């Protein structure tokens, strides 16, 4: 299954990069409150219950950042076993600097489901896409909130400086 998307983020590319390549920041945005273990700066393990009805199971997903070219390009690989069948995902993220301190994030992922669940792969696309969209929306909100707070602090500091100058 191939998934892809594009989002514009109201923040500079370096701030976006710093957030999306930090496993701790990403872990805080994974939906469903899974257990997340940050192994190191490039790897995390996510334990989650997936599926619904009689097809519910617990999975441990190993996620690795595999190619980092700051602040423009990142790739990641994820793997797990679900109901005896391997699942492999490879994804990439491109960050393009836009005018006015904005960043365009373009992502894609290829997910391969094998074994018993392969026959249900088409049904898995929507929940997988929803999970990715929720994670990205959370990261975007986190990034834009930090960017706005920094801009407000800078504006406040500049305003304080101007007030001090006018009293001289």
């Amino acid at each position: 299954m191939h998934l892809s998307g594009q989002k514009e983020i109201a923040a500079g590319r370096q701030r976006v990069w710093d957030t999306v390549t930090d496993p701790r920041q990403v872990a805080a945005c994974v939906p469903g409150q899974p257990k997340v273990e940050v192994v190191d700066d490039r790897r995390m393990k996510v334990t989650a219950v997936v599926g619904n009805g009689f097809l519910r199971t617990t999975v441990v997903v190993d996620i690795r950042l595999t190619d980092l070219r700051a602040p423009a390009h990142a790739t990641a690989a994820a793997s797990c076993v679900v109901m005896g069948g391997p699942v492999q995902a490879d994804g990439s993220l491109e960050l393009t600097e836009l005018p006015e301190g904005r960043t365009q994030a373009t992502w894609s992922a290829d997910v391969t489901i094998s074994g018993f669940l392969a026959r249900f792969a088409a049904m898995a696309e929507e929940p997988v896409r929803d999970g990715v969209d929720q994670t990205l929306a959370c990261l975007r909100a986190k990034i834009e909130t930090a960017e706005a707070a920094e801009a407000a602090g800078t504006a406040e500091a500049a305003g304080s400086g101007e007030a001090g100058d006018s009293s001289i």
Side-chain angles (χ1 to χ4, degrees):
M1 125 182 40
H2 179 78
L3 305 167
S4 62
Q6 191 172 58
K7 297 283 184 201
E8 191 171 306
I9 302 170
R13 183 166 68 164
Q14 188 64 50
R15 180 179 303 278
V16 175
W17 175 263
D18 291 344
T19 303
V20 301
T21 59
D22 179 349
R24 290 159 189 83
Q25 296 277 346
V26 175
C29 284
V30 175
Q33 302 176 342
K35 177 185 169 208
V36 178
E37 174 194 352
V38 177
V39 177
D40 59 40
D41 288 343
R42 287 189 172 224
R43 192 167 154 232
M44 67 180 169
K45 288 185 182 245
V46 178
T47 303
V49 176
V50 298
N52 57 32
F54 71 94
L55 291 178
R56 292 180 66 79
T57 189
T58 300
V59 298
V60 178
V61 183
D62 183 30
I63 302 171
R64 300 166 317 284
L65 297 175
T66 55
D67 180 24
L68 301 175
R69 286 181 260 147
H73 173 83
T75 61
S79 60
C80 65
V81 175
V82 180
M83 295 183 172
V87 177
Q88 177 68 38
D90 294 295
S92 68
L93 174 69
E94 299 293 333
L95 300 176
T96 306
E97 198 161 351
L98 300 174
E100 300 175 15
R102 300 180 72 76
T103 301
Q104 180 172 290
T106 304
W107 64 273
S108 68
D110 289 302
V111 182
T112 304
I113 301 173
S114 304
F116 171 74
L117 290 181
R119 65 186 79 178
F120 301 103
M123 293 181 353
E125 185 170 346
E126 186 175 336
V128 169
R129 180 175 290 282
D130 288 347
V132 170
D133 287 345
Q134 289 175 31
T135 301
L136 294 175
C138 173
L139 288 167
R140 181 180 179 185
K142 193 181 271 206
I143 292 164
E144 290 180 346
T145 298
E147 187 81 0
E150 183 178 298
T154 302
E156 185 177 305
S160 296
E162 290 173 11
D165 290 345
S166 65
S167 65
I168 294 177

